[in-house]
Amino acid sequence: MARAIPMVNLGPPPGTITDKQQVGGAATGGNPYTLAGTDYERYRPTYLPEAVTAALSGLQNPQVLDVGAGSGKFTRALVARGITVSALEPAVAMQKMFRESLPQIPLYKGKAEDVADLFAPETFDALCFAQCWHWVDKEAGCGAAANVLKPGGRIVIIYNQMNVSFPWVKRLSRVMRSGDVHHPDRVPQVGKQFAPPQLKLFQWGISLPVAALFALAKTRSSYLKASERGKQHMQANLQSYLWGDLALNPKQTVTLPYYTLVWIASKIS
């Protein structure tokens, strides 16, 4: 007897107006991303142009530092808009991927807490933290940021986040052990040098083969830090959820709902 296939709300279908990004876009120590491979670059989504515009709104010809630049996803979005940008990244694997696609951009080795040692005071109009604010020591990082920001400068905290308001996506994030779940009602903590962060929120989605969710799961820090046995366990749980609970197959394409949170915290003069 055939097993009944459960009805699952997968969000907007591929090709709808919310489908603004396509997966796999062209891109030539204690940090788990030292272990990251090319799956990070291929399967992590890029950033909406609207989110990039919001991040720098009101700034004229800004000098920007992309902190925790990773493989350069957010940096490329800035470069595409003609923004003058430098980048900072601690993980060697990420530095290598960055240089392959952005050899012309100044890239410095270091963390957010190091910026005051690397740059002169009042160098930048904005320090952008895309997908990395949760790694920052808030007291030390904000103190250093305030030192290198010009008067009226800002911290920009950006997250592409799976939209867990969809129940199936919330469960997916748990199966993937996606600990970096950021919600619009959770205001990031910043130092006393900055005004309370203000949020701009954008909802969208990406079309991707169901099989690509396995590769996406491998880009999470929880997976990268796990033992070989732990990694196998995570992938087995994901297979059970996708093939069993959701009754999907590898050839299907779904729209994975996302939102982008852009938090802006202005330096207090």
Side-chain angles (χ1 to χ4, degrees), residues 171-224:
R171 174 76 186 282
L172 177 67
S173 72
R174 291 178 175 176
V175 172
M176 284 185 174
R177 297 187 186 177
S178 178
D180 53 339
V181 176
H182 305 280
H183 299 283
D185 59 349
R186 294 181 183 174
V187 182
Q189 293 183 347
V190 297
K192 60 185 179 182
Q193 305 89 343
F194 295 90
Q198 301 298 308
L199 174 64
K200 297 183 180 181
L201 182 67
F202 304 87
Q203 299 192 54
W204 49 283
I206 56 173
S207 292
L208 73 170
V210 173
L213 293 172
F214 290 94
L216 179 62
K218 292 180 180 180
T219 71
R220 303 291 173 177
S221 61
S222 57
Y223 180 89
L224 295 170

Side-chain angles (χ1 to χ4, degrees), residues 11 14-15 20 23 53 58 64 69 98 114 128 151 162 164 174 179 206 208 210 212 220 236 245-246 259 264:
K20 300 223 179 152
V23 74
T53 298
V64 177
F98 184 102
D114 303 325
C128 296
M162 289 191 292
V164 294
R174 291 178 175 176
I206 56 173
L208 73 170
V210 173
R220 303 291 173 177
D245 295 351
L246 298 184
Y259 47 63
I264 297 174

Side-chain angles (χ1 to χ4, degrees), residues 36-239:
T38 56
D39 279 348
Y40 186 100
E41 174 59 29
R42 184 177 182 189
Y43 292 105
R44 287 290 185 105
T46 54
Y47 294 90
L48 292 178
E50 297 93 329
V52 180
T53 298
L56 302 179
S57 62
L59 297 177
Q60 300 297 320
N61 303 314
Q63 302 283 325
V64 177
L65 179 64
D66 186 7
V67 182
S71 61
K73 282 185 177 290
F74 191 71
T75 312
R76 284 196 296 276
L78 295 171
V79 170
R81 304 180 83 78
I83 302 297
T84 301
V85 58
S86 299
L88 183 68
E89 171 55 43
V92 173
M94 290 298 188
Q95 293 169 18
K96 181 179 179 181
M97 284 189 282
F98 184 102
R99 289 193 174 99
E100 287 175 352
S101 63
L102 293 164
Q104 79 281 18
I105 301 301
L107 175 63
Y108 299 84
K109 182 178 181 180
K111 301 180 294 183
E113 298 82 359
D114 303 325
V115 296
D117 298 323
L118 295 170
F119 304 100
E122 300 186 3
T123 297
F124 300 104
D125 297 284
L127 266 61
C128 296
F129 298 81
Q131 307 297 128
C132 67
W133 185 248
H134 53 291
W135 296 108
V136 176
D137 180 301
K138 305 306 184 290
E139 182 176 352
C142 286
N147 185 275
V148 300
L149 281 170
K150 299 176 185 178
R154 66 183 60 170
I155 283 175
V156 183
I157 301 166
I158 306 139
Y159 281 106
N160 281 335
Q161 169 65 55
M162 289 191 292
N163 190 340
V164 294
S165 66
F166 291 88
W168 80 274
V169 180
K170 185 174 183 178
R171 174 76 186 282
L172 177 67
S173 72
R174 291 178 175 176
V175 172
M176 284 185 174
R177 297 187 186 177
S178 178
D180 53 339
V181 176
H182 305 280
H183 299 283
D185 59 349
R186 294 181 183 174
V187 182
Q189 293 183 347
V190 297
K192 60 185 179 182
Q193 305 89 343
F194 295 90
Q198 301 298 308
L199 174 64
K200 297 183 180 181
L201 182 67
F202 304 87
Q203 299 192 54
W204 49 283
I206 56 173
S207 292
L208 73 170
V210 173
L213 293 172
F214 290 94
L216 179 62
K218 292 180 180 180
T219 71
R220 303 291 173 177
S221 61
S222 57
Y223 180 89
L224 295 170
K225 293 187 295 184
S227 65
E228 192 58 38
R229 182 177 180 181
K231 291 176 180 177
Q232 292 174 0
H233 183 67
M234 289 183 201
Q235 291 279 291
N237 285 345
L238 184 57
Q239 179 173 315

